[in-house]
Amino acid sequence: MSKPQLKAVIFDMDGVLIDSEPVWQMAIFEVISNLGLNVSMQDMVLTTGLRIDQVVDFWYARSPWENYNNQQTAQAIVDTVVSHITRDGAPMPGVLNALQACQQHQLKIGLATSSSSDIITAVLNKIGIGSYFNAIESAESLTYGKPHPEVYLNCAKALNIDPVSCLAIEDSFNGLIAARAANMQTIAIPEPLHAKLNKWVIAHQQLDNLNALSNFLANYK
């Protein structure tokens, strides 16, 4: 069975374009701990790929705290993340090579992220890649974030490309579920610490980093 023709590549942002997952984990840990929850940094991986309001809901469900205000807690985390990105944000290996490879293969380029517009702006400004994207979609105002496929479907629609002809690149399991549910081709680029876990088998392909995308596109048939 032949693969569908690729017409677009849609990138996740956190952990794919920018090394922000540790920043997210640190920010969530800091804010959640200050609310009195007994959590560890290792626990923070439990919410990787979820939208920030879902992250706050997750921790509140596990250990409720007084004066619950999802929006206030979420904004405190976002502000911490933006501050870290603006000061120390760095692109993941191969980002420019990957974006240029997409252009060389005449593929449209999209961004589909659970992050808010504040963080999208901070990331694109920090690493200077905003001009590469033909469509940018956030799940921040959607009813559901990833693993729901809506943000991916919205991005495909904005690109005017059938989802079947889109390749989604993800670093999180929740993101992969979203992309698969949108009926897209998928690449997983998990953080090295978790790269050997069996769960990545749901991706069509697994790569070490974005430097490998150029070769993947050249050999895609």
Side-chain angles (χ1 to χ4, degrees), residues 27-102:
I28 294 166
F29 176 75
E30 183 179 308
V31 172
I32 294 296
S33 295
N34 286 340
L35 289 168
L37 276 69
N38 183 20
V39 292
S40 69
M41 275 297 293
Q42 287 72 30
D43 294 330
M44 297 303 104
V45 299
L46 296 172
T47 56
T48 299
L50 295 182
R51 196 172 59 188
I52 188 59
D53 60 306
Q54 296 173 305
V55 171
V56 177
D57 277 343
F58 175 91
W59 289 114
Y60 183 74
R62 286 184 62 141
S63 185
W65 59 86
E66 292 182 7
N67 303 317
Y68 174 68
N69 184 321
N70 184 295
Q71 185 176 3
Q72 191 176 64
T73 303
Q75 191 61 50
I77 295 169
V78 167
D79 289 346
T80 303
V81 172
V82 168
S83 176
H84 279 285
I85 288 172
T86 302
R87 188 178 67 243
D88 303 319
M92 296 295 282
V95 168
L96 280 178
N97 287 346
L99 293 170
Q100 289 165 359
C102 292

Side-chain angles (χ1 to χ4, degrees), residues 19-211:
D19 187 19
S20 53
E21 289 299 353
V23 174
W24 273 106
Q25 292 172 14
M26 187 166 48
I28 294 166
F29 176 75
E30 183 179 308
V31 172
I32 294 296
S33 295
N34 286 340
L35 289 168
L37 276 69
N38 183 20
V39 292
S40 69
M41 275 297 293
Q42 287 72 30
D43 294 330
M44 297 303 104
V45 299
L46 296 172
T47 56
T48 299
L50 295 182
R51 196 172 59 188
I52 188 59
D53 60 306
Q54 296 173 305
V55 171
V56 177
D57 277 343
F58 175 91
W59 289 114
Y60 183 74
R62 286 184 62 141
S63 185
W65 59 86
E66 292 182 7
N67 303 317
Y68 174 68
N69 184 321
N70 184 295
Q71 185 176 3
Q72 191 176 64
T73 303
Q75 191 61 50
I77 295 169
V78 167
D79 289 346
T80 303
V81 172
V82 168
S83 176
H84 279 285
I85 288 172
T86 302
R87 188 178 67 243
D88 303 319
M92 296 295 282
V95 168
L96 280 178
N97 287 346
L99 293 170
Q100 289 165 359
C102 292
Q103 289 186 334
Q104 288 163 7
H105 288 275
Q106 299 183 314
L107 300 168
K108 288 188 176 181
I109 304 174
L111 180 67
T113 176
S114 296
S115 287
S116 66
S117 54
D118 289 351
I119 293 175
I120 294 170
T121 300
V123 169
L124 297 185
N125 287 346
K126 182 63 177 179
I127 59 179
I129 57 172
S131 62
Y132 285 94
F133 293 94
N134 304 110
I136 296 172
E137 294 290 328
S138 167
E140 69 174 321
S141 59
L142 302 180
T143 303
Y144 302 105
K146 298 173 186 178
H148 194 282
E150 187 173 8
V151 68
Y152 272 114
L153 294 172
N154 286 353
C155 195
K157 185 176 181 180
L159 291 169
N160 197 28
I161 301 290
D162 189 317
V164 172
S165 295
C166 295
L167 170 68
I169 303 181
E170 275 284 353
D171 71 310
S172 78
F173 191 64
N174 285 316
L176 273 179
I177 293 171
R180 288 300 308 248
N183 207 23
M184 296 182 177
Q185 293 293 298
T186 55
I187 287 177
I189 307 181
E191 62 174 309
L193 187 64
H194 300 128
K196 294 188 188 288
L197 295 179
N198 291 333
K199 65 182 181 179
W200 305 116
V201 73
I202 72 163
H204 295 90
Q205 180 76 33
Q206 183 173 336
L207 301 178
D208 291 335
N209 58 56
L210 285 175
N211 279 315

